[in-house]
Amino acid sequence: MGLVELIAQADERGLAASGLACLDRCVPLLGGDDEVLRPLWASLADGSAWAGGLEKARGALGPDGTGEDEAAALARRMLDAAPAERTGEAVRDWADTCSVASLHIHRLLDPAPGETPSPEALEAGRAGGAEDTSPLVAAELRRQVAVLELLAEHGPNGLRGALDVSVEGRRVLRAVVSRRARNRG
C-alpha cells in the first residue's frame, strides 16, 4: 500500500504520529536536540493534550526562520503548522503536509550524485512507486510507511517502534547536515 493510501486510512493517533515523526526526523535542521519533541510523543502515548508540549518545542526551536535555507524553512513550517488540538482533519492535513515537506527536505539534502528527483517523482513515490527517487528520499519514504504501518498494526503499542524509526532517520539526517556543513565551510 502506498503512503497516500496509508495516510487516508490512518486514525487520529496514526496521523499525529506520522506528522510528528516527519518533524522529529527534521529537527537537526532547526538546531534542536534529540529530546525536544519527547513530550509530544509522550502525549500521544497517554492520550493527553499536546498543546503545552507543542508550545515548549516551538519556544526551544526558536521563534523564526530568519536566515534559514530552504530545507530548514520547510522544517520550521512543519513545526509552525502543527495543530494545537489533535483532531481528525487537522492532523490529517498536517500529516500529509509533513510527509511532502519531509520528502522535499530529503530531496534537497541528498548528497547522491545525479539528477534531483522532481516533485512529480516524489508524488509517485508517495503513491507507491519509489523507482525514480534518490537513496535518501527512498529511505525517508520507507520510514514514513513504516511509522503508519506500525500504528495501523499495533495501535498505541506501535508508538515505541515509530519513535525508533524516527530516531534512526534523525541520526541519518543529522549526519547529512553535518557533512553538508563541513563541505561548505
Side-chain angles (χ1 to χ4, degrees), residues 8-155:
Q9 294 178 5
D11 65 9
E12 187 178 299
R13 186 184 315 253
L15 292 166
S18 176
L20 182 57
C22 288
L23 176 59
D24 199 359
R25 288 188 294 276
C26 295
V27 160
L29 295 167
L30 301 175
D33 68 34
D34 291 348
E35 300 299 313
V36 71
L37 298 179
R38 283 290 177 146
L40 297 174
W41 284 104
S43 73
L44 282 179
D46 66 19
S48 64
W50 77 350
L54 182 58
E55 286 310 309
K56 283 182 183 178
R58 286 178 174 149
L61 294 171
D64 68 27
T66 305
E68 290 178 338
D69 66 9
E70 185 178 359
L74 284 166
R76 178 140 333 264
R77 283 197 290 270
M78 279 194 278
L79 176 63
D80 292 345
E85 300 296 322
R86 286 189 324 254
T87 58
E89 278 311 305
V91 290
R92 184 171 309 285
D93 292 342
W94 183 59
D96 193 57
T97 298
C98 288
S99 170
V100 171
S102 184
L103 289 168
H104 189 66
I105 287 167
H106 284 75
R107 179 177 70 94
L108 290 169
L109 298 177
D110 200 324
E115 189 174 317
T116 303
S118 67
E120 293 79 19
L122 292 180
E123 277 307 308
R126 283 176 27 99
E131 302 83 33
D132 293 333
T133 60
S134 62
L136 193 64
V137 172
E140 174 59 12
L141 274 168
R142 285 190 302 274
R143 286 184 194 97
Q144 289 187 26
V145 167
V147 165
L148 286 162
E149 287 176 343
L150 282 163
L151 273 289
E153 292 171 19
H154 304 289

